Amino acid sequence: MTGNPTARAALAVLSAALLAGCARAGAGETGHEVVARKPAALPHGYIEGAEELAEPHPRLVISDGGTGTAHLLDLVSGELTAVGAAGGAGVIGGVGGDGRFAYLSALNGTTARVIDGGTWTVDHGDHSHYYRAEARDVGALTGGRPQRVLGDAGVTVVSFSDGTAKVLDRAALEKGDLVETARIRTGGHGSVVPYGEHLLVANAGGMEVRAQDGGLVSRVGASCPEPRGATVTRRGAVFGCADGALLVTVKSGEFTGEKIRYPGKPPKDDRALEFHHRPGSATLAARAGSTGIWVLDVAVRKWRLLRTGPALAVAATGDGSPVLSLTADGVLHAYDAASGDETATAELLAAPLPAGGAAPAIETDRSRAYVSDPAGKAVHEIDYNDDLRRARTFELGFPPAAMVETGR
């Protein structure tokens, strides 16, 4: 290259002119200039079409037990709006959620209505982002009654009562499209859990690790006889088994399993069949048949049986926080998860409970619990850290049949 300053200056001017000409040439017939400059950097956490918030904006998606209409209850404003049908009249159960979307259906139905709650949280480990967008009825999935819904950043898995699980593309779902990327048959009560950018499949043949398209990748060298129930915690994926729970974790791409055995050998009817907990917590609760409540502390790998008698619904509110139980007399109970002592009670539900109708449900977040009251046509907001104080009651005007919280 020449060392002449004048020549270098002329060359720079010529190069700039050529670049400008290329930019203008890119406009072509569209009339839009091709910008030959560095675009402005997008802010951390930016999601197109969503508003980022400074704190969570929780909402409840609730189905009407009489008409089947799905409603959205905004827990900030208290506003109740209809957002779609949940599968026709007589909707009395069948619900799940992945933090943003709710899946509703009739107890004996063959479709699941997908409702975008319009609020969600993105957990980045050391911090979280909170978003709000327009709520909408996305559409319907066929396959029977949904039993369990679990999702991660890539996929959402909907497990149905007919023993199949459908894997939905999460990016497409967020755009309003139901795109099925895989279908897995577990048979019976097998479980499919998205975890570690893979799918964990528990069935009679053992624990499998599959790619998100359903292809077999490897197997976990630990058994889970008669799998029933599953969830995901910060400490790993948890599967309910005949002999306790199987905790699956991943490190450097390798999946391993660890059994957390029941104390003794409980009767089959007292097994933990479904886990209920606050998202992000490692303390889980499950009904123990007519005996009481199972509490599983995943952090210390230990079960505790609370001999409380039968419960309609249970929920763990977080590590070091109460375990909640709702009994048939309409009373909400709080128990210390470590000692098993009852710490508070609250007479809550209208009585008697509706015969043959939907059972009440409990949803929990970091500071509140929400208890549906089908007979009272209401939802009660409970401060579980203040002796089960009733903070608010939302009058719905219809019996809530199914309820799931979004935005947590």
Side-chain angles (χ1 to χ4, degrees), residues 235 247 249 258 260-261 296-303:
R235 296 180 179 270
L247 174 66
T249 57
E258 178 183 353
I260 308 174
R261 296 189 180 277
L296 175 59
D297 188 333
V298 180
V300 299
R301 314 294 202 263
K302 183 179 180 180
W303 291 93

Side-chain angles (χ1 to χ4, degrees), residues 326-373:
L326 187 66
T327 48
D329 56 1
V331 176
L332 185 67
H333 306 258
Y335 297 93
D336 183 279
S339 68
D341 294 337
E342 185 176 75
T343 58
T345 61
E347 295 184 5
L348 196 61
L349 300 192
L353 296 176
I362 304 174
E363 288 284 304
T364 60
D365 57 32
R366 289 184 178 275
S367 61
R368 295 289 190 266
Y370 297 92
V371 183
S372 64
D373 185 350

Side-chain angles (χ1 to χ4, degrees), residues 105-382:
S105 80
L107 185 62
N108 296 313
T110 58
T111 62
R113 178 66 56 179
V114 184
I115 304 294
D116 184 350
T119 57
W120 67 98
T121 295
V122 177
D123 186 355
H124 286 183
D126 60 343
H127 69 284
S128 296
H129 294 269
Y130 312 104
Y131 298 95
R132 178 175 59 197
E134 183 179 357
R136 55 184 170 177
D137 185 341
V138 177
L141 288 172
T142 59
R145 182 170 59 90
Q147 290 186 316
R148 189 176 307 107
V149 180
L150 295 168
D152 62 12
V155 298
T156 290
V157 177
V158 185
S159 297
F160 291 91
S161 56
D162 63 357
T164 64
K166 293 187 177 183
V167 183
L168 305 179
D169 182 272
R170 183 60 183 251
L173 193 59
E174 291 171 354
K175 295 177 182 178
D177 299 321
L178 295 173
V179 177
E180 182 180 331
T181 61
R183 185 176 302 186
I184 298 173
R185 294 192 175 275
T186 61
H189 299 282
S191 299
V192 181
V193 175
Y195 178 69
E197 299 182 351
H198 289 75
L199 302 176
L200 301 177
V201 181
N203 54 37
M207 181 69 64
E208 301 171 344
V209 179
R210 301 195 186 192
Q212 291 186 342
D213 63 4
L216 182 63
V217 174
S218 63
R219 298 182 186 275
V220 175
S223 65
C224 182
E226 302 176 28
R228 290 288 298 270
T231 192
V232 176
T233 73
R234 286 183 180 275
R235 296 180 179 270
V238 178
F239 295 82
C241 314
D243 53 358
L246 180 64
L247 174 66
V248 179
T249 57
V250 60
K251 184 176 182 180
S252 300
E254 182 178 352
F255 291 83
T256 58
E258 178 183 353
K259 183 60 63 69
I260 308 174
R261 296 189 180 277
Y262 285 125
K265 187 176 181 180
K268 186 174 183 179
D269 291 343
D270 286 356
R271 283 182 49 192
L273 302 183
E274 289 292 343
F275 299 105
H276 303 275
H277 66 110
R278 177 177 61 76
S281 168
T283 301
L284 314 181
R287 290 190 294 173
S290 61
T291 301
I293 308 168
W294 284 112
V295 179
L296 175 59
D297 188 333
V298 180
V300 299
R301 314 294 202 263
K302 183 179 180 180
W303 291 93
R304 176 181 289 276
L305 178 60
L306 309 185
R307 297 184 178 277
T308 63
L312 296 175
V314 300
T317 62
D319 306 335
S321 295
V323 171
L324 305 181
S325 169
L326 187 66
T327 48
D329 56 1
V331 176
L332 185 67
H333 306 258
Y335 297 93
D336 183 279
S339 68
D341 294 337
E342 185 176 75
T343 58
T345 61
E347 295 184 5
L348 196 61
L349 300 192
L353 296 176
I362 304 174
E363 288 284 304
T364 60
D365 57 32
R366 289 184 178 275
S367 61
R368 295 289 190 266
Y370 297 92
V371 183
S372 64
D373 185 350
K377 299 182 178 180
V379 170
H380 306 289
E381 181 183 71
I382 303 299

Side-chain angles (χ1 to χ4, degrees), residues 87-109:
V91 173
I92 58 174
V95 63
D98 59 11
R100 174 174 175 176
F101 298 88
Y103 300 76
L104 312 176
S105 80
L107 185 62
N108 296 313

Side-chain angles (χ1 to χ4, degrees), residues 58-75 78-89 91 95-96 100-105 113-119 135-137 372 377-379 394-406:
R59 292 171 173 171
L60 293 175
V61 179
I62 308 169
S63 65
D64 182 336
T67 67
T69 303
H71 295 263
L72 189 74
L73 176 59
D74 191 303
L75 295 173
E79 183 180 2
L80 182 71
T81 56
V83 291
V91 173
V95 63
R100 174 174 175 176
F101 298 88
Y103 300 76
L104 312 176
S105 80
R113 178 66 56 179
V114 184
I115 304 294
D116 184 350
T119 57
R136 55 184 170 177
D137 185 341
S372 64
K377 299 182 178 180
V379 170
F394 300 98
E395 303 292 344
L396 304 176
F398 60 84
M403 180 178 71
V404 65
E405 186 174 357
T406 69

